[in-house]
Amino acid sequence: MTGTTSSTTIHSTSSRMRRRAGLFALYVVCVLLAILFLFPVFWSTLTSVKPPAEASAVPPTYWPSTFTFDNYLKLNKYGAGILRYVYNSASVALITVFGTILLSTLAGYGFSRFHFPAKNVLFIMVLAALMIPFQSILTPLFLLMSAVKMQNTLFGLALVYITFQLPFGVFMMRNSFDAVPREIEEAALLDGCSTWKMLTTVMFVLVRPGIITVAVYAFLNAWNEFLAALIIMTQEVNFTLPIMLTSVRSGYYGAIDWGALQAGITVTILPCIILFLFLQRYYLQGLMGGAVKG
């Protein structure tokens, strides 16, 4: 009897040690992957505060002799100035976010709750748009923007981005509404809520992770998009940050100002990091909810 108890104890101890070893190995892998993904961000930020000579030095210096913000101040010398390009990118991104949320939420609710002819066919057509490379429709979009006098306008560029984001947004919001039991809507209607009030005060709260997921996805894509903005925007005063970085990269007489370029990259990625850190809990919930119901 004593031998059996001792054997069980040894087996239990061995199992705990294996679990701890596996957990330790997992943490090591996660830390290494985090370092791998964060190193480019760290390097860009570090280079942006180096003196210009050190930022362009070959071989590179691994730590600045002095920390300086001259590279950030130098960004105002390019084009209309960094603040103008930040304003353009922020305006386009915010219009894209609000437009995508509004249209995706209403369309997703309709596909989830209403029954109408060819409903499934229409939804498949919406999803099929995800398979079309957006580069292939940029020329027709450029001609359309020119025809309606919306070329070189921030609102026109935002409409193009909304078009790109809608398929994913409708898919995500349809799945989010599907995850909400219909009994909740029926209870709200029995309590005297109108359809609009029920949608805005009850359903929007329940599908908030899906809405935030769509918002974050739309913001990141609109903030970082380059090709459509390069084609539709031909006036320098309306350029967005990604286009502005190409002029920094070209520099004067074709030289690359690495310090200013890394400063511009840091300015570009900072809002994305802050937004994701604040909303990552809802973002992950929305993705998981859509994956389960999809």
Side-chain angles (χ1 to χ4, degrees):
M1 191 72 178
T2 304
T4 303
T5 303
S6 177
S7 177
T8 303
T9 303
I10 294 174
H11 179 72
S12 177
T13 303
S14 177
S15 298
R16 286 198 301 268
M17 292 181 63
R18 284 197 299 268
R19 285 197 297 269
R20 290 176 182 176
L23 188 61
F24 177 77
L26 177 62
Y27 281 143
V28 170
V29 172
C30 289
V31 170
L32 292 177
L33 288 176
I35 293 174
L36 179 65
F37 284 107
L38 291 177
F39 179 76
V41 178
F42 170 77
W43 185 257
S44 295
T45 305
L46 187 64
T47 305
S48 70
V49 294
K50 290 180 180 179
E54 293 184 17
S56 303
V58 179
T61 57
Y62 296 101
W63 195 259
S65 59
T66 58
F67 290 90
T68 177
F69 292 96
D70 291 343
N71 293 317
Y72 291 91
L73 298 176
K74 196 184 299 182
L75 291 176
N76 283 318
K77 297 181 180 179
Y78 292 92
I82 184 65
L83 294 180
R84 176 65 187 185
Y85 300 123
V86 170
Y87 169 79
N88 291 343
S89 291
S91 299
V92 171
L94 291 177
I95 295 173
T96 302
V97 167
F98 287 118
T100 304
I101 289 176
L102 178 63
L103 297 177
S104 298
T105 302
L106 295 178
Y109 183 77
F111 279 116
S112 175
R113 292 298 191 254
F114 298 144
H115 298 282
F116 49 87
K119 169 185 170 181
N120 294 330
V121 175
L122 289 175
F123 186 69
I124 291 175
M125 291 177 63
V126 172
L127 294 184
L130 290 170
M131 297 182 289
I132 301 176
F134 80 93
Q135 296 88 346
S136 64
I137 61 174
L138 282 179
T139 300
L141 283 175
F142 176 81
L143 296 176
L144 179 61
M145 291 291 105
S146 300
V148 298
K149 308 300 182 183
M150 298 190 73
Q151 180 191 4
N152 282 315
T153 64
L154 300 179
F155 185 73
L157 181 60
L159 288 180
V160 173
Y161 289 161
I162 292 172
T163 303
F164 295 158
Q165 305 305 320
L166 274 181
F168 173 81
V170 173
F171 171 74
M172 179 62 63
M173 293 311 302
R174 197 286 300 262
N175 292 344
S176 297
F177 282 114
D178 280 348
V180 178
R182 293 179 179 269
E183 289 77 7
I184 295 179
E185 291 180 77
E186 296 172 358
L189 294 174
L190 289 175
D191 287 340
C193 285
S194 63
T195 302
W196 177 251
K197 186 177 180 180
M198 180 271 301
L199 180 62
T200 55
T201 61
V202 178
M203 297 298 291
F204 279 8
V205 177
L206 297 175
V207 298
R208 181 171 55 185
I211 293 176
I212 293 178
T213 300
V214 173
V216 172
Y217 187 82
F219 180 87
L220 295 180
N221 281 278
W223 181 267
N224 295 310
E225 204 281 329
F226 171 75
L227 185 58
L230 180 65
I231 292 176
I232 294 176
M233 297 297 192
T234 56
Q235 296 179 357
E236 188 176 43
V237 70
N238 292 323
F239 284 174
T240 56
L241 270 174
I243 306 177
M244 175 263 185
L245 292 179
T246 61
S247 62
V248 176
R249 187 182 183 280
S250 300
Y252 297 103
Y253 306 109
I256 299 176
D257 190 341
W258 290 107
L261 178 60
Q262 298 301 330
I265 292 174
T266 303
V267 171
T268 303
I269 65 178
L270 188 60
C272 302
I273 294 176
I274 295 174
L275 181 68
F276 183 78
L277 289 178
F278 275 105
L279 300 177
Q280 61 175 330
R281 178 165 62 93
Y282 300 102
Y283 181 73
L284 295 176
Q285 287 179 4
L287 288 179
M288 292 300 296
V292 171
K293 293 301 294 182

